[in-house]
Each structure stands twice: as structure tokens, then as C-alpha cells.
Amino acid sequence: MVMFDTVHLKAIDKRETFSGCICCQLLFSLSGKRKLNEALLTFAHFSHIEHSIKKKKQRTMSLGQNRSFSEEARYIKNGPKEFPNLKIIDKGFVPGMRVVGKFYADDQLEKLCMDELQEFSNRNQFGGFLPAVKQIANVAGLPGIVKHSIAMPDVHAGYGFAIGNVAAFDMENPESVVSPGGVGFDINCGVRLLRTNLDYKDVRDIQESVAQALFNHIPVGVGSKGIIPTTPKDLHQALEMGIDWSIRQGYAWAEDKEHCEEYGRMLNADATKVSQRAQKRGLPQMGTLGAGNHYMEVQRVEKIFDKSAAKKMGIDRVNQICVMIHSGSRGLGHQVATDALVKMEKAMARDKIHTNDKQLACARINSEEGKEYLDAMAAAANYAWVNRSSMTFLARFEKKIKDKKRFLCMYTYFLIRKQNIILQAFQKIFKQDADDLDMHVVYDVSHNIAKVEQHMVDGKLMKLLVHRKGSTRAFPPHHPLIPVDYQVIGQPVLIGGTMGTSSFVLTGTEKGMRDTFGSTCHGAGRAMSRNKSRKTLDYKDVLNDLKKQGISIRVASPKLVMEEAPESYKDVTSVVDVCHTAGISKKCIQLKPIAVIKVDNLFIILLLLASSSATKMEK
Amino acid sequence: MNVTINWKKQKQNYLIEKNNKENLDHTADIQLHSWGDTLLEAFEQVCIAMFGYMYELEDVQLLKHHTVEVSGHDMSSLLFNFLNEFLGLHFEEDYFIFKDVEIILFDPKGFSLKAIGYGEKFDRDKHGTGTEVKAITYSAMQIKEEKTKCEVWVVVDI
């Protein structure tokens, strides 16, 4: 019967009976012949084939494979009325779901998710990638998961976990797991916002010439090795101390710490758990921006939705200038994640943990691998805070630094030597000291991290390990873990836009605390693969579209323009609006870029700036 | 030490991005696809493909070599570890670019292999660059082994 598909079919072709088949054996025992009359054999087999096909179908149905798109779509329902924009993925969508899956989306964003699912259903189960909704459901099957596996409106397919997925695991349950896939490769990738007291009019007149000067001076396609300013010993300390190391070395202001998630330092960090290879990758990259969607942006305030909250953040008028930094833990974080994946794969076989997706490697929180990963992850997170602090230092253009040597080091280690031209440019723009400019950190959030937090689940206080991958923590007002300055307004949430689109500052809400473990979206989220962007978008069209918006662009790498074009991403405004209507976070400030500094991986710089003509147009 | 390099004529049996009817695109990253007469050849090629995505290999000379030994508990973990080892070595050895990879010992039953990678260190004045591969993933990894043609697909994080 098992052989039915191949061997048996061959037997049928030869008009022979097959010993593995009940019908054949029956006929054989009746007639005593191995070769049979065609009509007789066909009849017997016909009923048999029908029967086994039915059986096979039932079996695959229960495994959640081979379903048609309409069958799949039946599992995805709208949430109850009091939860607008919430979609529910019922149990049974994939095998072994312990809790339901949920995601937030409006009609348009839902369509993107469903299209992805349809594409998946249309091809056979071999090959291809899992759509985000499947990934959300797979996560719902992990041991120890609490309440639901929930995704933000900017969700898109990732490795194991979808990007935008939040999942919490009960710390008291010995079965519970930690998954590097639930954090992502770029550990503690996050956004930091600096405010200034400058006004757009102070910058407008010179920005065009500065941008041109920058572009002329910056060499295209230069190499990747930075001068290594830090010793391995420094790195070791930075990994354990996080932002405290930056403060000690004079790269950060003491008050920066107060305005960072986790106060810029995870205490359980253990640098000895970070492999030599990871440290080696991290050493030359400290204080670098990184590629892909990472950027440093000079922005102006476009709209203020919540005046009192904005005022608490030191932003009190439209056209105030801010600086946004979006960066992570670079190669070090990637290596930590990879190392953990390799180790956990072995541990999974030992502990008999079964998952639906191989990339969804995980380990029990209390196992050696689990603990080791959490400690190494914390160290990588600290590295990212040091990294963002170093770039803040550069943006501030600190002159008062005592140690001249160190200052020079900081200079050189911002990506490449010649990039200090950027700094001079900033200095030209700002012409003042960072202190006079009131360049304080508004907040620093992390959107790729796992943390132990306390949450109320069904009226019970529980200690949970919350994984946020492509999702930002958004704690409500009066939460003990948010800074004193923001106790009344709730935690600021920074949402980075994409090339040329707006960025947002949101605040956390009580509802978000209840519904999403205090989490909200993190950015726009890709709608198109890099490859597809490159193939479907025309370089000139993208530039023309940007031009229409009044954004002129200087490009070193057309590839990057297409990959990071606004069309490749979901609309950040609708993502933020969905979160706002769902009540999981509140809109506070909208920012518009006036200059973007983006670096291709091997350090090709792309600079984008809103030309002054744009403002004229708006007026 | 005198390095003798046994460099076979390089075959380009790989595609960095394959976008066929099945739409093998990933929303965040790229997929490497390689093939060869034997699995061994497909493995070698996918590793070269990875470095081919990061650097322009034409300018790379074969000046030095590194030997790696890896093992796994099944074929896909062997492939993962094999690529991971070379990528790790690339970062560890100051961005050493592997232009050619040769598997000298291959034990498909015990899932282990020994390979030599040839190339030179990255020099920004000399070598053209592409996009840095940051990690290897198991996502949609496929190994197809047939008598006449073997193929592998690997998604890498960039």
C-alpha cells in the first residue's frame, strides 16, 4: 500500500497483480493468475485508487498541506467588533497550534498578506518561502507560548518568525522556549531620535550645497575595513556595560542613559558567551551604520498630533530639526544568532522539541543553550547601544572632548576615513556646540529583542519572555520601566520611515499593554523582495516619483535606490494609522526627512535630500 | 610556506538569484542556486556563489588557501555548516575572499567534509564589491540529488 504510487502503478501497466495491494491479492486468490484480464483489474483498482486517494487527501489535510487558497483563507477571520483591524488565524491552520494567531491589518495591508498566502497555495508545497501568516501560526505552536502569537500591521515574511511578530513565553513553565529566530539576526536593531533647537529655516539655505559637496567628496565603492580603534579588551567591556561604557569613555552624555530602553544596558550580558568569531566581526564595525535599511536622517517636524506629549519630549514646534539614527548590532549580532541557531538545532533533537519550520530553532529557556543565548544576546544588545551612542556622538560633533587622540579615533571609525567630511558638513550646518543645540536623546528603542517582562494575562500577573521581532515596545503611562520624564505620556515609540517617507513618534497605551504585550509596529515593513524591486521597478521612475514629491536625490548605487524605494515598502502612514485605530499606540509626531545618509553594505553612500524647491511647492 | 594551488578551470555553475515560475523570491533576501554533476560540485559552487555576491571575483587572485573541516547530522545541516564555516572564516581572516573552493573529502553517509578554499584578502583598491552576506539560513533550503544532476538552493541574509 505504501508502494502504491510507483511500483503498483507499474504493475497495473503490465496487467499484473501486485502483492502489496489487497485488491490484487484478492483477485489473485480468486483466479490464481498473476496476469489478469484488463477489465477485471481496472475495476478492482479503480475502487482501490479512489479509496486511497481519499485517504491520502485526509492525511495531508490534517497536516495542513495541499489545501487550496480558499480553504486556507477560511482559517483567517475578522476579530470581534471592539478590536478594529484585528484578524484572527484559527487553530488548525498549521499543525500543532497551541494558541491562536492574530495580526493587525486594514484592508490593503491584509490584501498584501493574503496575496502572499495565495502565491504559496498556488505552488506545490515543495520549495518557496513560507508566507507571514503561516509563520505567525508556526510560532503559535511553540512550547510555552502564552495567549497568542500576534503580528503588527507591518508584518512580512522573515526566517522562522515573521518580521513584526510578537510572542511571549511563560517563564514559570519548564517547557517554554527561547528562539533566536524570534529576535532576528540583527539583535537590538533600533531607532534613536535626537532633537535640536534648530529650525528648518536655519538649515534650508545651505542644505543643497552641503549635499552636493558631500556627494562630490565621498568616494564611491570604497572598501570595508575601518581602522580599529577599540582593543578586544574595550570590546569586552562594551559588551558587558552597554551605554555605561560609552558614558565612561566620554562618547555619551549621562542623561542619554535615562532615555534609552532598558537604560541602554542589559545586566545579564556576558561577553564570554559571545564567540571569538562574533567578537572579531564586531571589533572593526563598532560605531558604523550598517547597510540595507539602516540610515541616519536629518528630519524636520511635519505635524504634531499630541501637543502636550510632544512638549514633554522637547519638541514644541513644526519645522524643528531632529536627527534619527536607525542601526543595530552589525556582524556581531548576526554571528551570535548564527552560533545559537547551530547549537540549538542539536539541542532540539535532544530535548525532543518539534517545530514546523527548521529555521524556527529554539531551546528551553532553562537549558544551557537557552541561557547561553540570552546572555550573548544581551551582550549583542549592549553592543548596539554603544553603536548608536557612538553615532550620536558623531552627530553631536562634540568639540569639548578632552582626549584628542580618542577624538581622532572616533572620527576615523565612522565607516570610513573620508566620512569626516560628513561631520564637517554637519558642523557647517549647525555651527554651534551640541550643548547649545540642545541635542538630547528623545528616546532610543529596540525593535529586535527578547526581554523578561511582567504582564497581566487573564487577570493573573505572569513573568514572560517577550520576543519582539520587528516590533517596538510601547509601554503605557505610569509603567515603572519607562523614564520619569515620560511617566505621564507613556513610552515614546520611534517608527523609522523609508527613503523619502515620513517617520513617526508614537506613545504607548494601556490597550496595547493588554492586547499585544505592550508592543506596536516598527516601521513600514517590506512589501516587495529586494530582487523583485530591482526587477520590477525602473530606476528612472523611482527618481521621477521622488522628484515629484520635491525630493532630489544623489545616487551612487541605482540598485540601492530600487531596493529601498518607497514602493518596495508598505505604506508607513497606513501602518501607523492601523496601530492608532487599533489603540495599541497613539500618534504623536510626524517627521519628514530633509537629508538621508544611507550606506550600501560595502560603503557606497547614498544621500538623499529634500530640495528647497520642495518647500516652496508646499507653500 | 610555499602554497601550491591546484586550481581547476572555474565553472560558473551557479545562479545568484533564480526567479523562475515558482517565484523563489524572499521578501528580505536572496537565494543562491547551484548545480553540478555531483552533490560535491553543487556544494562547491554554492559557496563560490556566495562570495560572488559579495565581491567581483574576476579581480581576486588565488594567493592563499584555508582548509576547513565540517560535519553535520544530516545533509542540510552539513551544507549549512559548510557555508557558515567559510563565511565565518571570511570575517575572521580579515575579509578573506574565497574565489574557489574544493571539497577534497566528502563523506555523504557520515555527513562530514573537508574543503580547501583559495583566494586572497580583501583590498579595497583592488577588488570590486557587491553586497555583504551576513548569515546563512535554513529557510527554504533544498538539496536535490539525482543521478545526473544535483542541485542546491540556499537563502542567505543580506
Side-chain angles (χ1 to χ4, degrees), chain A residues 492-512:
Chain A
V493 179
L494 310 173
I495 308 299
T498 54
M499 198 165 72
T501 65
S502 300
S503 296
F504 288 87
V505 182
L506 318 175
T507 49
T509 62
E510 269 309 330
K511 192 165 191 311

Side-chain angles (χ1 to χ4, degrees), chain A residues 34-92:
Chain A
R34 195 158 284 283
K35 279 220 174 194
L36 283 170
N37 174 321
E38 191 176 343
L40 198 63
L41 195 71
T42 320
F43 174 72
H45 282 304
F46 185 70
S47 53
H48 186 105
I49 291 168
E50 281 277 281
H51 180 70
S52 39
I53 286 176
K54 245 186 210 165
K55 235 180 164 179
K56 201 176 170 189
K57 213 171 182 180
Q58 276 171 357
R59 205 172 58 228
T60 48
M61 281 282 276
S62 67
L63 281 172
Q65 290 165 346
N66 259 0
R67 278 194 299 239
S68 72
F69 173 64
S70 56
E71 281 168 326
E72 296 267 39
R74 240 173 273 156
Y75 284 90
I76 298 169
K77 294 173 186 154
N78 280 331
K81 265 187 191 155
E82 60 271 30
F83 295 97
N85 292 334
L86 184 67
K87 316 285 163 193
I88 293 174
I89 306 166
D90 267 341
K91 284 186 195 174

Side-chain angles (χ1 to χ4, degrees), chain A residues 5-285:
Chain A
D5 290 336
T6 50
V7 186
H8 195 184
L9 284 174
K10 265 184 202 159
I12 293 172
D13 273 354
K14 289 185 203 155
R15 320 265 176 274
E16 280 176 355
T17 58
F18 171 55
S19 57
C21 163
I22 305 165
C23 309
C24 290
Q25 278 179 335
L26 196 70
L27 283 170
F28 181 66
S29 63
L30 283 173
S31 62
K33 283 182 202 160
R34 195 158 284 283
K35 279 220 174 194
L36 283 170
N37 174 321
E38 191 176 343
L40 198 63
L41 195 71
T42 320
F43 174 72
H45 282 304
F46 185 70
S47 53
H48 186 105
I49 291 168
E50 281 277 281
H51 180 70
S52 39
I53 286 176
K54 245 186 210 165
K55 235 180 164 179
K56 201 176 170 189
K57 213 171 182 180
Q58 276 171 357
R59 205 172 58 228
T60 48
M61 281 282 276
S62 67
L63 281 172
Q65 290 165 346
N66 259 0
R67 278 194 299 239
S68 72
F69 173 64
S70 56
E71 281 168 326
E72 296 267 39
R74 240 173 273 156
Y75 284 90
I76 298 169
K77 294 173 186 154
N78 280 331
K81 265 187 191 155
E82 60 271 30
F83 295 97
N85 292 334
L86 184 67
K87 316 285 163 193
I88 293 174
I89 306 166
D90 267 341
K91 284 186 195 174
F93 186 59
V94 302
M97 281 174 74
R98 289 162 205 257
V99 291
V100 293
K102 289 179 185 171
F103 66 102
Y104 287 94
D106 63 5
D107 295 342
Q108 208 193 340
L109 296 168
E110 190 189 5
K111 197 180 163 285
L112 283 172
C113 288
M114 296 311 271
D115 284 351
E116 212 179 41
L117 180 63
Q118 187 161 20
E119 210 173 89
F120 174 77
S121 312
N122 288 349
R123 59 179 182 239
N124 49 29
Q125 73 260 49
F126 299 108
F129 304 91
L130 284 179
V133 274
K134 283 273 178 197
Q135 292 186 322
I136 299 168
N138 281 340
V139 169
L142 291 178
I145 188 162
V146 173
K147 207 170 167 187
H148 47 219
S149 155
I150 192 155
M152 300 302 138
D154 47 348
V155 67
H156 65 97
Y159 306 119
F161 278 60
I163 292 156
N165 199 344
V166 180
F169 298 85
D170 183 5
M171 291 290 285
E172 309 297 326
N173 183 347
E175 297 267 293
S176 291
V177 292
V178 54
S179 170
V183 173
F185 278 116
D186 199 353
I187 296 164
N188 193 4
C189 177
V191 181
R192 172 181 284 213
L193 186 71
L194 308 172
R195 65 167 190 242
T196 72
N197 55 12
L198 286 169
D199 206 73
Y200 185 43
K201 65 175 189 297
D202 302 333
V203 196
R204 193 174 49 204
D205 301 336
I206 45 168
Q207 72 168 16
E208 192 60 84
S209 55
V210 167
Q212 192 57 50
L214 274 179
F215 191 76
N216 291 344
H217 281 93
I218 288 158
V220 173
V222 283
S224 64
K225 261 189 285 179
I227 292 170
I228 303 164
T230 37
T231 62
K233 201 180 149 204
D234 278 336
L235 181 70
H236 196 276
Q237 288 175 340
L239 286 173
E240 299 207 330
M241 292 169 68
I243 203 170
D244 288 339
W245 182 83
S246 302
I247 294 170
R248 195 188 73 187
Q249 301 294 99
Y251 299 146
W253 297 349
E255 54 266 42
D256 293 353
K257 184 179 162 73
E258 174 74 8
H259 285 183
C260 277
E261 196 172 318
E262 289 287 304
Y263 300 101
R265 176 181 186 177
M266 284 184 99
L267 293 169
N268 63 325
D270 185 349
T272 57
K273 301 282 166 65
V274 178
S275 70
Q276 277 307 311
R277 187 165 276 180
Q279 297 202 21
K280 211 156 181 186
R281 274 178 85 168
L283 206 52
Q285 290 181 331

Side-chain angles (χ1 to χ4, degrees), chain A residues 73 81 140 212 305 386 433:
Chain A
K81 265 187 191 155
Q212 192 57 50
F305 301 98
V386 169
D433 267 3

